[in-house]
Amino acid sequence: MSTTPPAMLPATTPFHPVGPVVTAMPFVIGIGAAFALQAVLPGMVGPYYSRVIGDIGIAMILAVSLNIVNGMTGQFSIGHAGFMTIGGYAAGMITYYGSFFLWNGASVHGGFLGSGEWLFAVSCIVGGLVAALMGYVVGLPSLRLRGDYLAIVTLGFGEILRVVLQQTNKVLDDAEAIRTAGWSQWFPPPVGAAIGFAGIPKYTNLFWIYTFVTITVVVAYRLKQSSLGRAMISIREDEIAAQAMGVNIARQKVLAFVMAAFFAGVAGGLFAHEKGVIISPKDAGFQRSFDYVIMTVLGGRGSITGVMLAATILTALPELLRDFDQYRLIVFALLLIVMMLVRPQGLFGIHEIWHFGRKRR
Amino acid sequence: MNYPPTAFWRRSVVAICAGLWLTISCGGCNGTKADPTEIVIGHYGSMTGSEATFGASTDNGIKLAVEEINAAGGINGKKVRLITYDDKGDAREAGTAVTRLVTKDRVAAVLGEVASGLSLAGAPVCQENGVPMITPSSTNPKVTKVGDMIFRVCFIDPFQGSVCAKFARESEKLKASKAAILTDQASPYSVGLQEEFEKAFIALGGSVVSKQTYQAGDQDFSAQLTAIRSSEPDVIFVPGYYTDVGNIALQAKKLGLNTPLLGGDGWDSSKLGEIGGKALDGCFYSNHYSQQDPSERVQDFIKKYSAKHKETPDGLAALGYDAARILFEAMGRAKSLGGADLAAELAKTKDFDGVTGRISIDADRNAVKPAVILEMKNSQPEFVTTIQPGT
Amino acid sequence: MADFTQTLMTAVAIGSLYALIALGYTMVYGILKFINFAHSDIVVLGAWISYTTSRWLLPYFGVDFSVSAADRPLPPLWIAPVILIISMLTCGIIGFVIERLAYRPLRRAPRLNVLITAIGVSLLLQNLGQLHFLFGTSPQTMPILLPNWELASFTFGSGESASRVVISFVDTMIFATSATLMLVLEYLVFRTKLGTAMRAVSFNTDTAALMGIPVDRVISFTFVLGSMLAAAAGFLQVMKYPLNQPAHTVWVLLGLKAFVAAVIGGIGNVRGAVLGGFVIAFVEQFGAFYISSQYRDVYVFALLIGILLVKPTGLLGSPLREKV
C-alpha cells in the first residue's frame, strides 16, 4: 500500500467559453440519437429486432463498465452480474412500490417521457448507487488480493447474493397490503424469492437504454483519457511501477470497482424494467457474469469501441443462430474458441475503432 | 504478443465462416412467408441448460400431438407447423423467443413454459400482442393473472397444496398430525407448493415440526434428513421434482427414516421408481393421472410416446401433449384464428378428455381437474384415490 | 450423537469427491496458471461414460434392463473397477485432445484468453453432451454396480428414539478409491522423475525448458492426469447418487465447490486441494445441520472470502512474490 497520498495535478486550463459546449456535445448527440432511434426504429423493424437492439444496448453498458475494471485497471472481476442484479432489484423496488404510493397501482403510468418514465430513470440511477455501494464493499478485498484470487472473491459475492435473494419475502401485490405491511414484510425486502420480482412496470425502451449507453460510453472514454484513467492503465501495465510513480493503487482499484458497479446497477435497472423479463436470483449467478467477461476479452483490453462491437456480436449471434436449433450453442462455443485462438488480443486490441484508418504506429 | 494461430485453426475459421454464411443466408430464404394452408404455433422452452430435461419432455409431448393432428388431416384442412425456440432456462431469452414467435413468425398461439418464472416473462408479451398462450405446467397462480390471453392446463399450487394436506391429514393411510417439509428453495414450484401445503395442513389442525430446504443441484440431503429425523414427523412433504426425490428417498432409508414421503406432480416420471427403488415404497404423491389408468386415451398416449422416444412419458410430456390438443380443439371450433376468437374458444373448453384428466377451463383461465393420489408399490405408482376440485 | 456421527460420515464421503475434483483444478493451475473452467464438464463426461459403458457391458452379465430395477441381479463385483478404468482412460484421452487443440495454441497468449477459451470448451462440452444422439437431455439412472452392504452399524439411544448410523459399502468404497488415487498422485508428484518435471514446470516454465524438460509433454500429461481424476470423481458421484444428470446444476455446483476447495487449500498445491475439499465438505454439512440448510452455499463462499482475506493465497499456498 502506498504511503503518500497522490499529488493531484491542479486544474491549470483557463476558462474557455466553448468548454462547456464541447463537454456537453457528445451527450447531446448521443441522447438525440437515442431519441431518433426510439422514434423510428420500432416502427421500421418490428418489436423483435428492436428488442434485440435494446438487449445489445444493455449488454454494451455492462461490458463497457466491466471493461473499466477488467480492461483498464487489469483487475479480474467475474461478479458483474451480481452488481447488475442488485441494481435491478433496487430500481424495481422503487418503481414498483413507488408506483403504488404515488398512483395506487403498478401499471405503466404516463406515456413516453411521462412522469412514470422519470420515476423509472431516477430508480435506475438509485439502483446504480446501491450497486456502487456494493462495488465499494467488494472492491475492498482487491486491496489485498491479486489476479485470480480477486476473481474468485467476486464470483463468491455473486453466488452469495443469489442465495440471499432467494430468501426474500413475497411481492406484495395490492395497495392495501402495502400500506398495512409491517416490518417483517419489508425486511427481508418483498422481491419475490426464487420466482423473481414479477410485476415491475415495464418502462424500458430504446430511448432510455441508449441514453444510458451514451452516458456510460462518454464517461468511460473521458475516464480513459483523464489522469485517473491513465493511473488505472498504469496499474494494469505494472502495479509496482505505478506505485513507484505515486499512483494510489488502493484508491484507483476501489474507484474502478465503484464506477463499474454503478453502471452495472443502472443496466440492471434497465434490465428489470424490460418487457418480457423477470429479474430473478438466478441472474446474479456466475454464468451471466461470464457473458460480460467474454465481451471484454473479445473486444480487446480497454478498447471501448472494441468492447461495444463485441457486445453487439455476442448478443446478436445467438439470435442469428436460432435456425441451428439444438446446435445453436455448440456453434456459439466453437466460434468463441476459434476467435480466441485466431485473435488472442481481442477484436481491436488496445485500439479504438478510429485508430484503424490511420497508419499503425 | 501476436501469437500466430496455427494453420489448422486458420483453415477451420475459413471453413466455419463459410458454413455459417451458407446456413444463415439459407435460413433467411425459406423464411416466414405466410402460408394459407398451414397453422403455425410456437413453443418456447428450456431445450438446453439445466432445465433441458423438462423442456425436452414437453416438446416431445407437443410434437406427438402435432404429428397426430396432421396425420388426421390437420385442423379444418390446414396442417399444423410447430416452431420451437430454446430459452436456455433464462428469462431474458424467454422474452426474446416469445417476442420473435409472436411478432416475427406470427404464430397463432404459443405453448410454454414449464417454469413459472419464465412463463411470467413470456406471458406479458403474448398478452400485449393478443396471442393466446397456454402453459402446460406452470403452477404459480400469478401466471394466468397476467391477462385474458393466458391459459394453463395444470393444477395451481393452492389446489395441489390443499389436496396433499387433506390426504396427509385425513386419509386412513397417513392420519398425520406432525409434518416435516423439505423444499427446493431455488424452485418457485417447490416453494409455492410448500407454502400452500403448510397453510392447508395447519388449517386442518396439523402442525409443521421441521422445515428444511435444499438448492437445485444438491445431491446430498443427509444433513436436512438428519435434522428431520430428530423432529419425528408422521409424514415428510417433499414438493420437488423426481430428479431430487429419488435421492431423497434413498438417503432417508439409509438414515433409518421410515416416515412416508408425500409429494406433488413434479414426482411423476418412470425414472422415479427406477432411482428410488424399494426406498420409495409406501410413499404418496398427487398427480394429474395414473399411468395404470386403463382408459384408451392414456394407454394410447403412453404406447405412442414410448414407441417414438424410447422412454415412458413423464408428467411434463403428458401436459405438453394435452396443452397442444386443447389448443387444436379450440382452433377447430374457433371462427377465426385471431387471438380474441381463439382465446374465447379456449375459455369455453369444458370436460376435455385429456391424458391428464378431464380438463375444464375456469373463469380465471386455470384448469379445473381432479387430482389423483398415487402410492408407490414395488417401484410402481398405484392408484389410491381421486380428489375432486372444490371439496 | 447419532446426528453428529452421521453428518461426519457424509462430510467425509462428499469431501473426498470435492478433493478429487479439486486436484484437477489445482494441477492445471499450478502449471498453466489459469482456471480450467472446463474441468467440471470432464467430471460430467466421466459420469456419462460410466453410465454408457455399464449399459453396454452389463447385459453380458445377466443384467436385464427391461425388468424393473429392483429385480435385476447384481453384476460381479469386479465390473465396477473395470468401468471406472474405462471411464478414466476415455476422459484422459479427451483431456489430451482438448489441451492439444484448444489450449496449446494459446501457450503464449494472455492468460485471460485461455480462460475464455476454457469457458468456450465448457460450453461446447455441455451442449455437445446434450445432443440426443450422444447423451440426451433426460437424466438416466445409473445401474447398481455395488451392493448396498452395511459394513457396520451403531445404535444410539434406545426404544422409540433410537437412531441407527450405518457405514455403507458404497461410502467406504468412495473414500477408499479417492484415498488410493490421491496417494498414487502424491507418489507420482513427489517421488517420480515425471513429478519432479511437473513441479519444475510449475515453478518456472522457461527455466524448466532450458533444463531439457519437455514442457509440452509434461503439460499434456498434467491434463491427462487431471481429467482421469475428474472421471473417477464422476464415476464415484453416480455410484453414490444414482441419478445421472446431463449438464445440470448438480454438476455446476459440484465443480464450483471443488474449485473453491482448491482455492481454500491454496491453488497450485496438491496437498492443499485435498485439505480444502474436506474443509469445504465439513463446513457445508455441519453448517447445514447445526445452523440452517437455507444458507448452505453461503457458508462455503463466506468461508472462501474469509480465508482469502486472512491468508490471500489459501491455507497451504506459498506467499506470492512480487516481481519487479
Side-chain angles (χ1 to χ4, degrees):
Chain A
M1 246 130 285
S2 73
T3 46
T4 48
M8 290 298 289
L9 289 173
T12 47
T13 29
F15 180 75
H16 199 285
V18 193
V21 178
V22 173
T23 310
M25 213 51 199
F27 291 106
V28 173
I29 295 174
I31 295 172
F35 194 84
L37 213 59
Q38 167 69 18
V40 179
L41 210 65
M44 224 164 67
V45 297
Y48 170 60
Y49 289 108
S50 34
R51 186 191 159 90
V52 174
I53 290 168
D55 281 343
I56 289 174
I58 295 178
M60 276 183 186
I61 301 178
L62 285 158
V64 169
S65 59
L66 181 62
N67 203 25
I68 297 175
V69 175
N70 283 15
M72 279 166 65
T73 320
Q75 303 302 298
F76 184 31
S77 160
I78 39 179
H80 212 50
F83 298 124
M84 183 200 88
T85 311
I86 202 146
Y89 269 96
M93 273 196 76
I94 291 171
T95 45
Y96 183 77
Y97 293 108
S99 296
F100 269 108
F101 285 117
L102 291 172
W103 306 303
N104 255 326
S107 53
V108 172
H109 191 267
F112 181 56
L113 292 183
S115 48
E117 287 206 359
W118 288 106
L119 175 70
F120 156 64
V122 170
S123 81
C124 283
I125 291 168
V126 176
L129 292 175
V130 173
L133 192 69
M134 283 315 271
Y136 180 73
V137 175
V138 178
L140 284 180
S142 69
L143 309 180
R144 239 181 109 71
L145 300 170
R146 307 248 136 116
D148 296 342
Y149 291 96
L150 178 63
I152 295 152
V153 167
T154 55
L155 185 143
F157 156 72
E159 291 298 308
I160 290 178
L161 186 64
R162 181 176 62 81
V163 179
V164 169
L165 284 175
Q166 280 171 4
Q167 313 298 336
T168 47
N169 276 334
K170 267 190 179 173
V171 177
L172 305 167
D173 45 12
D174 67 272
E176 193 48 42
I178 290 173
R179 270 182 234 287
T180 55
W183 272 111
S184 63
Q185 274 149 297
W186 286 106
F187 191 84
V191 291
I195 196 169
F197 196 166
I200 301 176
K202 299 301 180 192
Y203 285 116
T204 304
N205 57 28
L206 287 177
F207 171 73
W208 287 110
I209 293 176
Y210 280 90
T211 297
F212 282 117
V213 169
T214 307
I215 296 172
T216 313
V217 170
V218 174
V219 169
Y221 184 73
R222 291 209 168 137
L223 179 72
K224 197 178 162 187
Q225 307 297 326
S226 71
S227 59
L228 275 179
R230 301 278 182 210
M232 288 176 182
I233 293 174
S234 73
I235 295 176
R236 173 185 86 194
E237 296 300 328
D238 192 326
E239 210 169 310
I240 293 166
Q243 194 166 17
M245 298 305 288
V247 174
N248 186 343
I249 295 184
R251 215 188 65 156
Q252 294 297 338
K253 282 185 185 172
V254 173
L255 187 68
F257 260 97
V258 168
M259 288 188 65
F262 172 77
F263 288 115
V266 171
L270 294 167
F271 179 80
H273 293 80
E274 201 183 3
K275 201 168 288 163
V277 165
I278 302 277
I279 193 165
S280 68
K282 233 173 26 179
D283 290 315
F286 70 99
Q287 273 148 330
R288 195 180 284 282
S289 293
F290 276 177
D291 292 351
Y292 307 116
V293 174
I294 293 173
M295 286 171 196
T296 55
V297 176
L298 191 68
R301 297 207 302 173
S303 165
I304 292 167
T305 41
V307 166
M308 286 166 75
L309 183 67
T312 311
I313 294 176
L314 290 177
T315 313
L317 197 62
E319 290 302 320
L320 288 177
L321 295 176
R322 280 237 177 259
D323 293 323
F324 281 73
D325 211 12
Q326 54 173 333
Y327 300 98
R328 179 170 78 122
L329 293 176
I330 297 175
V331 177
F332 180 81
L334 268 179
L335 281 175
L336 189 67
I337 298 173
V338 169
M339 280 197 273
M340 276 300 117
L341 290 169
V342 178
R343 249 193 114 66
Q345 71 275 44
L347 290 171
F348 289 179
I350 54 170
H351 304 283
E352 298 294 348
I353 195 162
W354 46 84
H355 293 159
F356 284 90
R358 300 179 204 162
K359 213 169 165 189
R360 291 281 181 84
R361 273 165 292 179
Chain B
M1 256 324 191
N2 287 2
Y3 188 74
T6 55
F8 170 78
W9 282 111
R10 210 178 291 141
R11 256 177 268 134
S12 52
V13 176
V14 176
I16 291 178
C17 289
L20 254 186
W21 181 76
L22 273 177
T23 14
I24 288 180
S25 51
C26 244
C29 62
N30 58 19
T32 48
K33 257 178 283 155
D35 184 345
T37 64
E38 67 174 16
I39 300 173
V40 186
I41 60 167
H43 170 218
Y44 68 111
S46 321
M47 308 302 289
T48 60
S50 33
E51 279 93 45
T53 159
F54 305 139
S57 278
T58 310
D59 198 48
N60 288 342
I62 296 174
K63 275 187 182 142
L64 189 63
V66 171
E67 273 166 31
E68 269 181 24
I69 195 104
N70 283 343
I75 302 167
N76 298 335
K78 291 182 183 174
K79 296 267 180 213
V80 176
R81 184 160 65 91
L82 173 73
I83 302 179
T84 301
Y85 285 139
D86 169 33
D87 61 27
K88 298 200 290 189
D90 174 304
R92 184 177 67 84
E93 288 251 352
T96 313
V98 175
T99 311
R100 181 170 167 138
L101 284 172
V102 168
T103 64
K104 184 159 179 286
D105 300 321
R106 307 231 164 252
V107 295
V110 175
L111 298 169
E113 232 289 340
V114 172
S116 295
L118 301 183
S119 293
L120 276 172
V125 180
C126 290
Q127 179 65 29
E128 192 185 272
N129 290 287
V131 175
M133 173 179 133
I134 307 178
T135 165
S137 37
S138 293
T139 51
N140 194 289
K142 273 189 179 172
V143 174
T144 44
K145 284 189 187 148
V146 168
D148 59 359
M149 289 287 159
I150 316 299
F151 299 85
R152 86 174 95 217
V153 297
C154 54
F155 307 134
I156 53 173
D157 291 336
F159 173 64
Q160 198 173 188
S162 67
V163 164
C164 291
K166 212 171 148 171
F167 181 76
R169 193 78 190 89
E170 293 171 358
S171 87
E172 283 304 313
K173 297 201 183 232
L174 283 173
K175 281 273 177 220
S177 57
K178 288 187 291 178
I181 302 181
L182 180 56
T183 327
D184 176 357
Q185 60 173 343
S187 151
Y189 162 74
S190 191
V191 175
L193 200 50
Q194 170 254 322
E195 282 167 1
E196 298 298 340
F197 173 83
E198 194 182 343
K199 242 188 267 169
F201 193 72
I202 292 173
L204 290 168
S207 64
V208 173
V209 288
S210 175
K211 275 165 79 176
Q212 297 288 324
T213 62
Y214 61 95
Q215 282 271 340
D218 284 350
Q219 290 274 60
D220 204 284
F221 310 94
S222 312
Q224 291 93 324
L225 289 168
T226 313
I228 286 178
R229 182 173 71 178
S230 344
S231 74
E232 299 176 0
D234 303 324
V235 63
I236 306 171
F237 185 57
V238 188
Y241 284 111
Y242 67 91
T243 40
D244 300 321
V245 173
N247 278 332
I248 292 176
L250 280 179
Q251 289 168 30
K253 276 280 142 27
K254 223 175 98 186
L255 293 174
L257 190 63
N258 290 316
T259 320
L261 307 182
L262 173 69
D265 58 342
W267 281 31
D268 188 39
S269 166
S270 57
K271 301 240 164 54
L272 182 67
E274 215 175 293
I275 315 156
K278 289 215 169 18
L280 271 166
D281 285 357
C283 295
F284 301 89
Y285 67 99
S286 76
N287 198 16
H288 306 268
Y289 73 116
S290 158
Q291 293 208 354
Q292 287 157 333
D293 187 337
S295 87
E296 197 190 331
R297 189 71 264 162
V298 173
Q299 292 311 319
D300 194 40
F301 168 71
I302 293 174
K303 208 173 73 198
K304 275 189 197 152
Y305 189 97
S306 324
K308 183 140 187 273
H309 300 290
K310 294 182 187 63
E311 55 184 22
T312 43
D314 55 13
L316 296 167
L319 286 167
Y321 179 76
D322 272 358
R325 283 184 54 239
I326 285 184
L327 176 65
F328 297 154
E329 207 203 42
M331 281 176 164
R333 291 193 314 248
K335 282 199 296 288
S336 78
L337 292 178
D341 286 339
L342 195 51
E345 281 308 323
L346 277 170
K348 281 184 207 151
T349 303
K350 195 153 173 42
D351 289 333
F352 176 84
D353 183 23
V355 170
T356 62
R358 278 197 179 280
I359 303 169
S360 303
I361 302 284
D362 69 3
D364 297 325
R365 297 166 305 283
N366 293 324
V368 180
K369 53 180 174 181
V372 295
I373 300 281
L374 305 174
E375 178 178 5
M376 295 300 288
K377 275 184 185 160
N378 291 323
S379 325
Q380 291 295 330
E382 270 181 25
F383 177 81
V384 178
T385 177
T386 302
I387 298 182
Q388 294 296 335
T391 50
Chain C
M1 191 57 204
D3 296 346
F4 178 83
T5 324
Q6 187 61 54
T7 317
L8 186 73
M9 274 172 24
T10 318
V12 168
I14 297 181
S16 43
L17 282 177
Y18 285 160
L20 267 188
I21 307 172
L23 280 170
Y25 278 114
T26 225
M27 284 196 303
V28 169
Y29 189 90
I31 290 193
L32 291 179
K33 301 280 178 292
F34 86 97
I35 307 166
N36 184 11
F37 277 111
H39 189 65
S40 66
D41 299 286
I42 303 283
V43 181
V44 190
L45 203 64
W48 277 92
I49 291 172
S50 318
Y51 167 76
T52 319
T53 33
S54 45
R55 281 297 291 223
W56 173 75
L57 217 55
L58 289 190
Y60 295 105
F61 298 94
V63 178
D64 183 1
F65 283 108
S66 57
V67 299
S68 89
D71 304 333
R72 289 173 203 158
L74 203 70
L77 213 51
W78 54 266
I79 287 287
V82 167
I83 289 172
L84 172 67
I85 287 166
I86 293 178
S87 148
M88 282 173 75
L89 287 179
T90 325
C91 282
I93 294 168
I94 292 170
F96 173 80
V97 172
I98 292 173
E99 196 276 331
R100 184 68 194 78
L101 288 184
Y103 300 148
R104 191 177 290 183
L106 284 170
R107 197 66 36 94
R108 302 228 162 258
R111 281 191 307 140
L112 216 49
N113 291 58
V114 195
L115 195 83
I116 304 293
T117 314
I119 296 174
V121 170
S122 156
L123 265 179
L124 185 70
L125 288 177
Q126 277 176 23
N127 290 294
L128 273 179
Q130 288 200 342
L131 288 180
H132 59 87
F133 51 82
L134 281 169
F135 304 126
T137 49
S138 26
Q140 301 292 348
T141 321
M142 182 74 188
I144 295 159
L145 300 179
L146 297 175
N148 54 347
W149 293 332
E150 294 178 356
L151 293 187
S153 77
F154 313 95
T155 312
F156 294 91
S158 57
E160 275 281 295
S161 60
S163 41
R164 226 159 62 96
V165 175
V166 177
I167 297 182
S168 73
F169 181 61
V170 176
D171 280 356
T172 319
M173 281 324 287
I174 288 175
F175 181 72
T177 315
S178 354
T180 317
L181 287 172
M182 286 176 221
L183 287 176
V184 169
L185 186 76
E186 169 87 10
Y187 174 79
L188 207 67
V189 171
F190 291 99
R191 296 275 187 280
T192 63
K193 228 172 169 179
L194 193 65
T196 316
M198 277 168 66
R199 282 181 292 143
V201 172
S202 130
F203 195 71
N204 188 326
T205 316
D206 292 335
T207 316
L210 288 176
M211 297 292 143
I213 294 172
V215 173
D216 276 342
R217 214 181 297 164
V218 171
I219 292 177
S220 284
F221 180 74
T222 313
F223 260 89
V224 171
L225 213 57
S227 304
M228 283 167 79
L229 291 180
F235 172 82
L236 295 175
Q237 163 92 6
V238 287
M239 283 292 99
K240 188 163 166 58
Y241 311 113
L243 187 71
N244 207 351
Q245 307 252 26
H248 190 269
T249 335
V250 172
W251 303 109
V252 176
L253 268 183
L254 187 69
L256 200 61
K257 284 185 188 156
F259 170 65
V260 168
V263 177
I264 284 184
I267 196 156
N269 185 315
V270 172
R271 289 166 187 163
V274 177
L275 176 68
F278 285 106
V279 168
I280 288 283
F282 275 78
V283 169
E284 184 186 81
Q285 292 302 319
F286 281 96
F289 181 71
Y290 285 103
I291 309 173
S292 143
S293 53
Q294 283 180 347
Y295 294 102
R296 177 145 126 168
D297 293 351
V298 172
Y299 307 139
V300 172
F301 289 105
L303 177 79
L304 167 80
I305 294 176
I307 286 188
L308 284 188
L309 286 180
V310 178
K311 205 162 176 312
T313 49
L315 291 174
L316 298 185
S318 47
L320 280 182
R321 267 177 300 269
E322 302 258 330
K323 287 182 201 146
V324 182

